[in-house]
Every structure is written in structure tokens, then in C-alpha cells.
Amino acid sequence: MQEKYLPQDIERAAQAKWAHTQAFRAADDADRPKYYCLSMFPYPSGKLHMGHVRNYTIGDVLARYHAMRGFNVMQPMGWDAFGLPAENAAIANGVPPAKWTYANIDHMRAQLKALGFAIDWSRELATCKPDYYRWEQWLFTRLFEKGVIYKKMATVNWDPVDATVLANEQVIDGRGWRSGALVEKRDIPMYFFRITQYADELLTGLDTLPGWPERVKTMQANWIGKSTGVRLAFPYTLDGHDEKLWVFTTRADTLMGVTFVAVAAEHPLATRAAANNPALAAFIAECKQGSVAEADMAMMEKKGMDTGLKVTHPLTGEEVPVWVGNYVLMSYGEGAVMAVPAHDERDFGFAQKFKLPIKQVIGVEGETFSLDGWAEWYGDKTRGRCVNSGKYDGLGYEAAVDAIAADLAAKGLGEKKTQFRLRDWGISRQRYWGCPIPIIHCTSCGDVPVPAEQLPVVLPEDVVPDGSGNPLNKRADFVHCSCPKCGGAARRETDTMDTFVESSWYYARYACPDFAGGMLDQRANRWLPVDQYIGGIEHAILHLLYARFFHKLMRDEGLVASDEPFANLLTQGMVVADTYYREDAAGKKTWFNPADVETKDGVAVLKSDSQPVIVGGTEKMSKSKNNGVDPQALIDAYGADTARLFTMFAAPPEQSLEWSDAGVEGAHRFLKRLWKTVYEHVQGGVVAAFAGGELPEAAKALRRQLHQTIQKVGDDIERRKQFNTAIAAVMELMNALGKLDGDDAMTRSVRQETLEAAVAMLAPIVPHIAGALYAELKPAAALAWPAVDEAALVQDEIELMLQVNGKLRGSLRVPAAADKAAIEAAALASEAAQKYLEGQAPKKVVVVPGRLVNIVV
RNA sequence: GCCGGGAUGGCGGAAUCGGUAGACGCAGCGGAUUCAAAAUCCGCCGCCGCAAGGUGUGGGGGUUCGAGUCCCCCUCCCGGCACCA
């Protein structure tokens, strides 16, 4: 055995062996129980970042642990290869996105292999390849014919200078990121998935997922946002026609307090009112500036303008003014809201600002309504009762809603309705580097889906986008085609799909990546659902909701048999790091990588020019903030096992991990010590592990700790998924082993047992060194997870803590079998108790067996 | 703004069901080894205090024999907000 720990040699040899023996090939037909362990596939941005290392190490630990426990494990890997960064790189460097992407994939694949992940590479896929996306196009055409996909107008960010649709990310302070032009909202036709049709099932399905974190289920439930309320109409007459303005409200009980109605700037009624009102038209134009992002909308200053139009209150018949409000979202509900300033905080502020009337219609006993300011109870539907509401006075929330809904229904002006916050999923993107939408536009036949035998619609890979418009529009060879129905000249759709579509079904394709006869074959049902899915918490809503939705679409197409794709979910916290930047005169920020920044005399400066940079705070490692830490340097300096060990040790998986270079040394030191300890033991000759007999007291105690550790580590990995404490427990065990003296045969057999078990327990985390050490300790034996010896755990005497008035005052040794009365007697007889009791009788004695005694004086 | 989460020594974190706060590691300090250094090994290490003891888990209140953990209020930080992935 080598005396020195040489990670590079060990890792190279181990990885070569794994590749040669196809050690991680998942058998489609094994009779062992399956364990499908999936980590979210990476976007091939260039090189791995620490978030990837963390994500894939967590997955690898679980995969390897389950393999050691006898499962038939599948851990696949692929590439979420379409996306915006490839186009940005093309604009910056003039390289076609395809070429850039494939080069990145090659580099990152090599990095993943260097980290020693137990991946079945035979299942690798990339979403930008036609043999993958053709099935996505095929499903699209099926769903289009079924009506699950439809076309409608939708609002996008429009950069008038670059003549390009911008992603929300590309709108900075209301301006285009490259042109600096004020961004406008523009309506264009887009294809939509009818996800709202599945809203109820997506909501109730959450209850069938006990293996998902509560916080994720809560976020999804809130996102779907099921609310029951009333859809009601305010009638009006315009240009001689009787019409109705519909609104949705969850607070119909406050209907008698409506003092105005507010519509979105895009609402048809606003458009009509603006036709002969230049001031209103100008205001609506102003509302159409800025980004479409909901966060931006919600934080804008609330602005409004009277349209001059009036509608009729459905119950009182009073006239109600119609305002345009920039805070009303056209995409939610009816694009119009009834305003009850007295009982809605947002309406209250709006009414005060524009001097609109405020009418109290809800009262709470003991509280006095005042116009001076908003009070929490104004909006409290649990305590309030109707006041100033005529026949509804005295009714509580539910009774009032029922009565008002009934009266509205009688007039044909409203009914109870269930409303979802969830909106249909718009998937059209005016971008080149994505999956082409398989539609042909024919002047006589309309939108015609591409027939299955003409799929895939292949995306040309030799295109270099320049940042203006969609380059596919300039490719005559792509655009011009003939109509599949009438054979006439037609145009191909040039929009591509949202990349979330590709990532919504890749987990299923891994089961049968080579299947050329269809989207999925029967192997999908053999492997699905995914037993453990691991990915960043930032995907808690969108990706995970879309994937759940897609699974149900595929189920309804007969492609999969299960209802949910992911049985267990681990949402890993983000890897965060400091950000640094400089700002030029135009306000444009340039971000610097933490590796290029150092601190001199307490000031952050750039290493290259020693000039200061601005510290921007700690954020998720991202390309846009350039604060990613390159794990490659870590692997080069210490080896993959140290990188893996440190990432798992530094924080529990669900918490965010603040990156710091310090601490890596410690992980490496531990591996060196482990190597040395095994080396020294092996030098003295390997022996058989302890198999029974009388042990010296110290060896017996160590053996008890060993089996406690085996119990804890298994629980930490399998149930708690908290790897940092698993590692800490093995470190403690190794520290204790170091203190175990004695070279007698029995002690040596316990040392052998301990080392075998410790190495095996570490194997999922640091597989290279563990494999090498195990081969020295137990030549020719396969790594097996150690079993707990219950007999080793038995103790004769236990130590209890002794409290007086809840404060720790001493401890107590009692026989393990002692009952409550015996413990209480021993506690009262103790020196510490006598001191605090001072001869008096205790008020109360709390005995928690196995834990403590608390004497209340 | 709305939804979700977080805050514990100088630092990362532990405390799993309300029961010894600070496991494990980093940094630091002292010692051994060394011509010297690195590496390695041993010991110390929340704060105040000579000590006895007191005090301490973002802030304020509460429940309990006992609260980092449960309840109410607040502050700050992070994630998501539908075209970043």
C-alpha cells in the first residue's frame, strides 16, 4: 500500500475502472428493486459551477448509497441545451449557438466524469438534438389537434430600437439591455398550453406527494391560487348598446361599498373611452411603457385616470365611475376589479390619492372606522359583519356572500365562481435557439400542424444571431414550405418553444433515450416515477409545476401510467457568493468574478489593476452577476473526493451554502488522516473484523460508538438527507479510534471492524479513496454497507442531567433499567439537589427517563 | 408589492419529538517535533468575571418545570413572481 495519499492517481484509476466495467449501467430488466435517482440536468453554459457540483454530489451520494443497499440504480445525465445564453454568446463572439453549445457539453461532460459521479452515460441526451425534440414536436401536434394547445394574443416586452422581443431578464429599469431604449408592451399572437384545465388536479395532486418539502407544495398551491368568489357584472350603455363590465371578487360581502371600478390599461373599455379622450389615450400609452414582469407592475407607483364612463351598480342601481388603473392586471380574472376602498388596502390608498369616496360596509365590534389611515381590521373577513348594507346588515362573511350572490344570480348579473391565479402557459418565443414550433401557416387552411411523417422540423444549426429580430425569419429555406393540407405555398412558424417544454419531459426519456419509434416506450413505466429528484429551490414553482403538468398530458396520451413524475424531491439550497462590480458613466455595470477580486486594507480591489470595485452583496452564483466559483481549481489542487467531501460537509443540502475557500483544507486533511490511519493499521497486518468475544472496556466503548455511528449515518443519509452530520459522525468516530490504545488481537479486530465500516460509510461521498482503502482492508471484497449490531449498543448505566428550576446543576449516573421512582430518589439524594433544596421539600420533580430530572424548588 | 424561506461563537454549521446550546470542521492561541520552516501530533478556545457565578441562539412580548425549537408582533437577508435557467 502507498504510504502517501495521492488523489490524482487514485481517482484516475478508479474512473478508468468504472468506465471499463460499465459499473453504473442501469439494467432495464433487473429483478432487484429500482431506484431512479435524478438530478436536474444542467444548462451547458460553459463549465461546471459549484451549484452543479453540489447538486450532482447530493444525487451521487444517494445513488451510491442505494446501490450499496442492493437497489438497481439509474442515475442519468443530459443537457438542457436550448436557451438564451447561447444566443448572447453568438452575438458577443460570432459563433453559432449550436457550435458553442456542443463545445460546452464536451467540456462539462469531462468535468462531470472527473468528479466521479456514478452516471449511466449510455442514456445521455441533449435537448437540442432532433432525435429528442422531434417527439416534443410530435406531442405538440397531438395536443394542438386536441385543443390543449391554442393560439391567442399575449403581451411581450418590445425593444423598439433593436426591433426585438426581450426576456424579462433583458429589461433593466424599464429599458432594453443592449439598446437602452424604453421598453414597450406589445401584443403578439402566441401558442398556449391550457394548463388551467389541469389546475385542480395539479393542486389536489400535491396531497399525494408526502416526499415533497412542505414549502414547495405551499408555493405551488399559492401559485395555482384557487379562490372561490363571485363573478359579477356592472351594466352600462355605450353608443346605444347595453353591455356589461365583468369583474371577479373574493369579497362579494363588500359589494355595497363599491365606489368605483378600475380596469387595466389594455381593457377594451379603456381603449374605447380613449378614442375621443386624448388625455386618457396618453395615460394608457404611458401605462404600456415598461416591462411586463409582474414584480415590476406590483411595485410601480399606483396611477389612475377617470375614463369619464359610468357603469351601474348591480344591486343599488347607483352610478359608479370607471377608472383606468396601472395596477390592474389584464391577465388575471377579468382585467377589471371592483374597488372597495374601505375594505381593501390597495383600493384605500388609491381612493385617498385620487379623492374618491370611501364607504364603510363592514364593522367589527369595539372598533371605530376612520379615514385617517388603514387599519388591519378593515380587511378582516373573519371578524367583520355587514353594516350600511341595507338588507345584508348583520351578516358575516359567508352569509353575506351567499345572499349577495343569490340576489345577483336572480338578476342575471353574477354567480359564484372558482377562480385560479394560474394562467395558461404561453410557449412561443421569438428566438432562434429553441425547438421549432411545428406549425405551418397557410393563407387558405390557417394554422396547420406539421404531419408526423414530416417531423422533425429541424432547426438549422449554422445560424449566427445578431441581436435584432428572429434570425429564422431571414432564412428563406426554413420559412418557405408547402401546406400539408392543400399543397399551396405556405410559411413555416418561426417562433420556437419555451425551453421549459424540453425540461418538462426529459426525466421520462432517460428511460428509453434510444427509442426511435415514438416518444416513450414501456421502459418508461418500469422506471417512473423518479424515486428521488434533486435540484435547486429556485425551480420550486415553474419547472416543477410544468413537469407535473406535462406528466399528466403524457398520461392522458397513454404514454405513462403514473400521475406524478417525482415521488421524492430534495430542493437543494443555492450556492451563493459575493458579487463585485463597477459602473460606467451610462450606468452600465460590469461584474467581476470573486476569484479576480482581493481585499486590501479592508477595500475590495481587482487583482489585475488594484483599483477598487463595488461590493454588491451575496447572491446566487450566476452568469449574469459573474460570481460563480470555478470548481476546477479545487479538483486540480485537491482531487474530486475533497471537492465532494467539502461540498457535502459545509452545509446541509436544503440550506444555502455561502462559498468560501477556507475549509477545503480541513476536508483534505481529514482524507489524509484517514489514509494514514488505514495505512498504519494495514502495515501491522489486516485481520478479521471483530466477530464476538470479551473485549477490553475501551474497545467495547469504541464498538458501541461504531454501531451508534452506523445507525446515525444510515439515518442521516436515507431519511434525513443531511450529509454534513453524517460526515461529522464519522469524523468523531475516527477521532475516538485514534484514542484507542492497545495492540492485542481483540482490540485489533475492533480496529479492523471500525475502519472497514468507516470507509464503507464514506464511500457514497468519497468513492475513489474509499474504494482504494477498502481494497487494502478487505482485498477482493465488494463494498457493502455495514450492518448495525444491536448487541453492541446495550449500556448498563446511563447518565442523566440534573436540573434545579430548569437550570443545569449536575448529572446523575443510574442503571439503564431504573424506573421513575428510583431516578427521583437518586436525584433528591444527590449532592447538588441537597445544596439547592436547603432542607426543604421540592415543589415538583419532573423525571424524563433517559434524559433528565428537573427539581422545582 | 405578493408568495416561500432564513437569522445560533471570529467563520461554516450541530442540537432529529420542547430536555446538557455551540457536536464536527475552519480560523486563532499555547505546546511538542524541526537547524529552521512546511507538514504532523497534543492541548485550549461563546461573552463578562481572579473566582464563585452570571449571561447568551436577529429584536420585543407570551406559553411551559424547562424554549434555538411552540404562539403573537417587528427588523434584516435570500429565493420566486409566469420570456434567465
Side-chain angles (χ1 to χ4, degrees), chain A residues 13-204:
Chain A
Q15 286 160 15
K17 191 180 158 201
W18 294 333
H20 182 252
T21 59
Q22 301 194 331
F24 311 121
R25 194 86 180 237
D28 286 321
D29 52 2
D31 51 10
R32 288 170 296 156
K34 61 103 183 174
Y35 184 78
Y36 181 2
C37 183
L38 179 67
S39 291
M40 289 181 187
F41 63 170
Y43 176 78
S45 55
K47 51 192 181 183
L48 292 187
H49 55 67
M50 288 309 306
H52 293 131
V53 175
R54 190 182 195 194
N55 196 157
Y56 304 137
T57 304
I58 292 168
D60 203 46
V61 171
L62 291 168
R64 287 175 178 272
Y65 171 81
H66 283 86
M68 284 175 84
R69 305 229 79 168
F71 286 85
N72 177 33
V73 172
M74 165 161 78
Q75 184 174 225
M77 185 55 69
W79 309 96
D80 188 13
F82 280 134
L84 199 52
E87 294 194 21
N88 296 340
I91 294 165
N93 311 318
V95 182
K99 197 179 166 194
W100 182 85
T101 302
Y102 291 128
N104 289 348
I105 287 175
D106 287 340
H107 182 69
M108 290 170 75
R109 185 192 303 109
Q111 288 191 301
L112 289 173
K113 288 187 174 175
L115 280 158
F117 297 131
I119 289 165
D120 181 353
W121 284 104
S122 72
R123 294 172 189 267
E124 179 182 358
L125 56 81
T127 58
C128 62
K129 296 211 169 140
D131 62 358
Y132 180 82
Y133 64 67
R134 70 173 293 184
W135 301 113
E136 186 169 308
Q137 293 175 334
W138 169 82
L139 186 68
F140 182 102
T141 59
R142 302 264 313 185
L143 296 172
F144 183 78
E145 276 158 1
K146 227 174 155 183
V148 176
I149 293 174
Y150 65 99
K151 189 156 96 170
K152 71 169 178 182
M153 299 299 276
T155 316
V156 294
N157 303 305
W158 179 254
D159 184 323
V161 171
D162 279 346
T164 295
V165 175
L166 297 179
N168 284 335
E169 191 192 50
Q170 299 172 315
V171 180
I172 296 152
D173 298 327
R175 292 174 181 275
W177 67 328
R178 298 179 71 235
S179 68
L182 275 176
V183 167
E184 299 163 8
K185 297 188 183 77
R186 180 175 277 208
D187 284 343
I188 58 166
M190 299 206 334
Y191 291 95
F192 281 79
F193 276 85
R194 232 181 266 282
I195 189 172
T196 49
Q197 213 167 55
Y198 287 78
D200 248 321
E201 201 197 337
L202 287 166
L203 186 63
T204 54

Side-chain angles (χ1 to χ4, degrees), chain A residues 773-785:
Chain A
L773 291 176
Y774 206 77
E776 298 289 351
L777 285 164
K778 215 176 173 184
L783 262 170
W785 193 258

Side-chain angles (χ1 to χ4, degrees), chain A residues 375-620:
Chain A
E376 268 323 301
W377 72 264
Y378 296 176
D380 188 347
K381 66 184 177 191
T382 58
R383 293 196 296 153
R385 307 232 152 231
C386 290
V387 297
N388 305 328
S389 301
K391 63 184 269 207
Y392 310 111
D393 277 0
L395 296 180
Y397 171 73
E398 274 174 46
V401 170
D402 287 347
I404 287 171
D407 289 347
L408 288 168
K411 295 182 169 200
L413 290 176
E415 69 283 303
K416 279 198 174 178
K417 197 192 165 198
T418 300
Q419 177 87 16
F420 291 95
R421 205 188 75 97
L422 182 69
R423 309 197 293 259
D424 277 339
W425 175 18
I427 54 133
S428 296
R429 297 293 179 269
Q430 297 67 46
R431 287 192 217 302
Y432 155 68
W433 189 234
C435 169
I437 290 176
I439 291 283
I440 289 167
H441 301 289
C442 170
T443 41
S444 36
C445 307
D447 291 4
V448 181
V450 177
E453 64 275 11
Q454 288 180 28
L455 293 175
V457 176
V458 176
L459 183 75
E461 293 197 347
D462 55 348
V463 171
V464 184
D466 60 7
S468 71
N470 180 348
L472 282 180
N473 281 319
K474 301 167 197 163
R475 288 284 297 239
D477 59 336
F478 182 84
V479 174
H480 296 307
C481 59
S482 53
C483 171
K485 268 194 188 160
C486 68
R491 280 182 62 86
R492 199 177 286 288
E493 170 69 48
T494 56
D495 280 359
T496 53
M497 288 192 225
D498 181 359
T499 57
F500 273 124
V501 180
E502 285 89 63
S503 57
S504 290
W505 66 283
Y506 76 111
Y507 62 88
R509 184 70 184 177
Y510 278 138
C512 47
D514 53 359
F515 184 48
M519 193 173 194
L520 301 175
D521 64 25
Q522 271 311 304
R523 287 174 289 174
N525 285 331
R526 194 163 302 202
W527 285 106
L528 292 173
V530 172
D531 294 281
Q532 182 67 57
Y533 196 32
I534 304 131
I537 182 66
E538 66 272 25
H539 297 292
I541 297 175
L542 291 179
H543 162 62
L544 288 168
L545 189 67
Y546 292 146
R548 292 182 58 221
F549 167 56
F550 235 78
H551 198 79
K552 293 172 200 304
L553 292 179
M554 292 193 291
R555 177 201 61 194
D556 293 348
E557 285 294 314
L559 293 163
V560 295
S562 41
D563 291 324
E564 291 282 346
F566 314 120
N568 294 289
L569 173 69
L570 189 152
T571 46
Q572 140 214 354
M574 274 150 313
V575 181
V576 297
D578 292 334
T579 57
Y580 303 96
Y581 66 93
R582 282 182 192 156
E583 209 166 357
D584 67 13
K588 189 170 177 176
K589 287 173 181 173
T590 309
W591 300 87
F592 301 103
N593 195 273
D596 302 327
V597 174
E598 61 186 341
T599 304
K600 266 190 188 162
D601 306 322
V603 180
V605 299
L606 202 60
K607 282 179 186 168
S608 56
D609 61 11
S610 296
Q611 294 302 303
V613 291
I614 302 166
V615 180
T618 311
E619 288 182 60
K620 173 174 90 163

Side-chain angles (χ1 to χ4, degrees), chain A residues 678-705:
Chain A
V678 172
Y679 174 78
E680 284 168 0
H681 177 74
V682 168
Q683 289 307 297
V686 293
V687 296
F690 174 80
E694 264 316 294
L695 285 176
E697 202 44 53
K700 197 175 168 186
L702 181 79
R703 218 175 156 254
R704 183 184 312 126
Q705 185 177 350

